[in-house]
Amino acid sequence: MRIDMNPSQLTFWKKYMAKAKLDLSYAAYTKVLRSWNDANASCPFNRLYFIIEGEGYVKVGDQTYYPKPGELYLLPAGSNQAYGTISDHTFGKYWCHFTAKIGDLDLFQILQTSAFITIKDPEALQKKFEQLIAYNKSEELTSAFRVNAIISEFIADFIEQTETVKLNLASTPTYEKMNSVLHYMEQHIADNVSIDTLSQIAHYHPNYFINAFKQFTGYSPIQYMNHLRSEKAKDLLMMSELNISQIADSLGMELSYFSRMFREQTGFTPTSFRDLKPKMIDYNETMLK
């Protein structure tokens, strides 16, 4: 997988995409009938087809594909989709329908991948689909966690095995505005940044800005600023000799507020987090041997 962006952008988008809310509708294995044929304009959900046998076609947008056994196809939500048979030797396929939403957007509206990948270990993927089908039918309290874990793994595998992944920022009309806001917050991490200032950068009314910001990032502006500060503080605690009071000052925070914020964000006090440093160094050195 190759994706062109700088490290700070990559960090943001990794966390942003991980917020996708998953919802599985159906999962099954089907040997399709000769009459299997349909077209869906702007389909509202994603389809995954793992081809076991047979022949047929799928169409995404203007592109038509003729899947082969061992290939996994993604028909992304929001796209024009069609499929059908071409002979009596019809598809035998594992399949599922699911949504992956980030706010009002579909994940694969934002993230553009190839239409299919060739599976290196078909038996392992077949087993995963069988587990997905079983968990989706299960009445166990934990079954939804299992379902989401498998769908997440499918998505991760698909992204990792796609040669080039592109971010379709045109699908996120607030991206340019919010990206300017996030950049400003990063550059003014030690300042008392007001909602009015941020909303002016985005050219939004302050009340609308707060809702738009939370929908885009998953955080309120103050939560996101504290997240930035805690990430910076973690770096300083591990990589610098500054004492905790100096780190708090560098972030424009009083010591007591900084300590409380850091613990809320990380589960550690600044002192106990710094005490992890020797253990983390030993662990990293062990892993490198």
Side-chain angles (χ1 to χ4, degrees):
M1 176 191 69
R2 181 173 62 83
I3 187 165
D4 297 323
M5 61 176 61
N6 63 46
S8 63
Q9 288 177 316
L10 184 60
T11 297
F12 170 77
W13 282 104
K14 283 195 300 184
K15 293 180 179 179
Y16 183 67
M17 289 187 294
K19 296 179 186 299
K21 182 179 178 181
L22 306 177
D23 185 25
L24 177 70
S25 302
Y26 304 101
Y29 175 83
T30 303
K31 175 66 173 175
V32 305
L33 300 175
R34 183 69 170 90
S35 58
W36 183 70
N37 188 299
D38 202 1
N40 297 271
S42 192
C43 184
F45 51 81
N46 305 288
R47 287 184 166 94
L48 279 177
Y49 290 164
F50 177 41
I51 308 302
I52 301 298
E53 63 167 323
E55 57 186 8
Y57 74 88
V58 297
K59 187 174 182 180
V60 181
D62 296 327
Q63 187 70 45
T64 301
Y65 303 90
Y66 296 90
K68 299 176 183 177
E71 292 177 342
L72 178 66
Y73 274 74
L74 170 67
L75 284 64
S79 64
N80 294 334
Q81 304 174 7
Y83 51 82
T85 59
I86 58 176
S87 75
D88 290 334
H89 186 33
T90 61
F91 284 143
K93 63 183 177 68
Y94 287 93
W95 58 274
C96 65
H97 296 171
F98 69 97
T99 55
K101 292 277 193 177
I102 305 176
D104 293 332
L105 295 172
D106 294 300
L107 174 62
F108 293 105
Q109 285 181 284
I110 302 169
L111 196 67
Q112 293 183 329
T113 67
S114 59
F116 72 94
I117 58 175
T118 301
I119 300 303
K120 298 175 182 177
D121 189 347
E123 289 184 2
L125 184 60
Q126 181 175 333
K127 183 177 180 180
K128 281 292 181 184
F129 262 104
E130 289 170 353
Q131 290 174 337
L132 180 67
I133 293 165
Y135 286 132
N136 194 43
K137 294 178 180 178
S138 172
E139 295 183 357
E140 290 291 333
L141 185 63
T142 58
S143 60
F145 290 108
R146 301 293 187 183
V147 164
N148 284 352
I150 293 174
I151 294 295
S152 295
E153 189 172 349
F154 285 169
I155 292 172
D157 288 345
F158 208 97
I159 293 170
E160 288 173 356
Q161 293 181 48
T162 293
E163 184 175 346
T164 301
V165 175
K166 295 181 180 179
L167 288 171
N168 180 23
L169 301 182
S171 69
T172 57
T174 60
Y175 171 76
E176 290 298 334
K177 294 179 178 180
M178 288 302 172
N179 191 46
S180 297
V181 169
L182 298 181
H183 181 71
Y184 182 89
M185 294 172 80
E186 291 171 0
Q187 297 300 311
H188 295 80
I189 195 171
D191 299 336
N192 185 18
V193 179
S194 70
I195 295 298
D196 284 343
T197 298
L198 298 177
S199 60
Q200 288 172 12
I201 294 170
H203 303 290
Y204 285 148
H205 186 278
N207 291 338
Y208 179 80
F209 168 77
I210 293 172
N211 291 331
F213 186 93
K214 189 166 186 178
Q215 183 179 49
F216 186 75
T217 66
Y219 300 95
S220 69
I222 186 61
Q223 287 172 334
Y224 188 79
M225 182 61 89
N226 283 340
H227 167 73
L228 290 178
R229 288 168 173 161
S230 68
E231 291 297 305
K232 180 66 174 178
K234 286 193 287 186
D235 288 342
L236 293 173
L237 287 165
M238 287 295 172
M239 307 302 293
S240 80
E241 299 302 321
L242 294 175
N243 63 42
I244 293 170
S245 181
Q246 290 172 322
I247 292 174
D249 287 342
S250 73
L251 296 173
M253 304 176 76
E254 294 182 0
L255 180 58
S256 59
Y257 182 77
F258 165 71
S259 297
R260 185 169 66 252
M261 179 277 296
F262 189 85
R263 185 165 188 169
E264 290 174 351
Q265 292 284 321
T266 67
F268 295 94
T269 66
T271 300
S272 60
F273 187 83
R274 175 165 270 174
D275 288 342
L276 296 173
K277 185 176 181 179
K279 298 177 183 178
M280 294 178 71
I281 291 174
D282 291 344
Y283 175 78
N284 290 333
E285 288 177 348
T286 300
M287 292 298 290
L288 291 171
K289 289 181 180 179

